[in-house]
Amino acid sequence: MAAGKQPAQNWDALREKLKKMLLERIEGGKLVLPAMPATASKVLECLESGSHLDRVAGLLEQDPVLALEVLRLANSASFAPRARIESISQAITMLGNTRLRSLLVTASARQVFISRNRTIRELTGALWQHSIGVATVARQIAVRAAFPDKEAPYMVGLMHDIGKPIVAIHLLDLERSVSRSVQDHWIDPTQWLSIVQEVHRPVGVAVAKAWNMSSDICKAVNDCVEFDPIERSSPANAVRFANALAKREGVYAGPVDMEQVETVLLIGRSMLGLDDDGISALSTALRAVVSTEG
């Protein structure tokens, strides 16, 4: 029987087998997790240890891509400098440690969503747009709702789906190992995506821990599938709402239950104190960042 034409029961059997194998790898700690790029890791270590500004600037200057990102953000409308900033040292001072950390994690996370494999690339391109969109909206929610920590929601939004491309790569390898097909995949695409959706969360938490994220961020990555009615200013709440908004705006990879999305938005707007104008502004910001990343 031709690839892609398997009976539904065969797809179901393969799906369950692959899911079981993936869960065994996750529980056994056998999934290969992506390391944070060396420069980003070193700079973050310096920031944590309180190293002198010159040391941090020197490390960034050794990585032209990161240096350009730092200068671009420092000169963006978000910071609106009086004169163009040309030096890394000036840019670091303008950004501050918190935003610099976010930039470094963003650059590191972006690499996880890049794949040479055509099948994975088609999935991860949309996933990256979703993740950066959710992160940006979550940060703006934190500002609008006066959260004490404005950057934690951004970091959680950035990391909330980072397990998906990792699971996708392992899933493709496992699928080839149990399939006689020589094509990229023969499992039904919807079921393939559903496996990624079901098992990605613990992988994302593991990456957050491996990248030395705070325990609060790691917890929020795990908890952002539900609202926290007790801690209104939880990063997980901002990400939960931002995730639903992104889905409503079509910034997502995979099927969407629009009835559930609207329910989440209804609950979230009340919990976070958002009105129609605020939500409209968040939607505009989401479309803007997706357009930039696209």
Side-chain angles (χ1 to χ4, degrees):
M1 185 172 291
K5 300 294 185 181
Q6 301 294 327
Q9 62 267 31
N10 285 1
W11 280 333
D12 290 343
L14 176 61
R15 178 186 184 283
E16 290 307 311
K17 184 171 185 177
L18 290 171
K19 181 180 175 182
K20 180 181 178 182
M21 293 170 72
L22 270 171
L23 288 172
E24 287 175 351
R25 282 193 180 186
I26 293 169
E27 292 169 1
K30 295 180 180 179
L31 282 188
V32 178
L33 300 177
M36 180 173 282
T39 300
S41 180
K42 290 177 182 178
V43 172
L44 286 172
E45 287 177 5
C46 285
L47 294 176
E48 292 299 326
S49 65
S51 295
H52 194 275
L53 173 64
D54 290 344
R55 168 64 175 159
V56 176
L59 286 170
L60 287 171
E61 287 168 352
Q62 294 173 22
D63 189 316
V65 175
L66 274 182
L68 185 61
E69 285 289 307
V70 169
L71 288 171
R72 183 192 62 78
L73 181 57
N75 284 292
S76 69
S78 298
F79 291 90
R82 295 180 179 178
R84 181 166 179 79
I85 294 175
E86 302 288 351
S87 78
I88 294 296
S89 294
Q90 285 180 305
I92 293 171
T93 301
M94 172 68 76
L95 297 180
N97 286 0
T98 300
R99 286 301 292 271
L100 181 56
R101 284 191 186 93
S102 295
L103 183 150
L104 293 169
V105 175
T106 301
S108 301
R110 184 184 290 116
Q111 298 306 307
V112 179
F113 288 85
I114 296 174
S115 175
R116 295 180 180 178
N117 181 279
R118 178 177 59 82
T119 301
I120 304 301
R121 188 166 59 248
E122 291 172 357
L123 169 68
T124 56
L127 281 175
W128 172 247
Q129 287 191 334
H130 174 75
S131 294
I132 193 68
V134 168
T136 300
V137 171
R139 176 193 277 150
Q140 294 200 11
I141 289 172
V143 172
R144 287 178 174 275
F147 281 25
D149 187 339
K150 310 300 190 295
E151 283 302 299
Y154 176 87
M155 300 284 268
V156 176
L158 200 64
M159 302 294 289
H160 83 287
D161 272 354
I162 201 169
K164 288 184 177 179
I166 301 166
V167 169
I169 288 292
H170 284 270
L171 176 57
L172 194 61
D173 289 342
L174 287 172
E175 186 179 359
R176 286 170 173 164
S177 73
V178 300
S179 169
R180 294 179 182 178
S181 170
V182 296
Q183 297 190 15
D184 275 352
H185 67 274
W186 58 274
I187 192 172
D188 177 84
T190 301
Q191 295 204 34
W192 196 85
L193 277 171
S194 75
I195 300 175
V196 174
Q197 178 64 35
E198 286 180 34
V199 303
H200 78 95
R201 188 72 55 191
V203 179
V205 174
V207 174
K209 290 179 178 178
W211 287 9
N212 295 317
M213 301 285 174
S214 70
S215 58
D216 287 343
I217 288 177
C218 293
K219 182 178 185 301
V221 170
N222 185 68
D223 294 348
C224 63
V225 293
E226 299 289 347
F227 282 120
D228 183 346
I230 298 175
E231 184 54 58
R232 171 181 166 274
S233 298
S234 163
N237 284 349
V239 172
R240 174 72 167 154
F241 186 91
N243 187 41
L245 186 64
K247 290 179 178 179
R248 191 184 73 176
E249 296 295 326
V251 184
Y252 190 63
V256 174
D257 183 339
M258 290 306 298
E259 184 176 349
Q260 181 186 51
V261 164
E262 292 298 338
T263 299
V264 171
L265 292 175
L266 184 63
I267 296 171
R269 67 179 291 158
S270 174
M271 180 177 292
L272 298 167
L274 299 170
D275 58 18
D276 288 342
D277 289 342
I279 294 173
S280 178
L282 293 173
S283 296
T284 299
L286 173 67
R287 290 191 292 269
V289 73
V290 168
S291 176
T292 301
E293 289 296 325

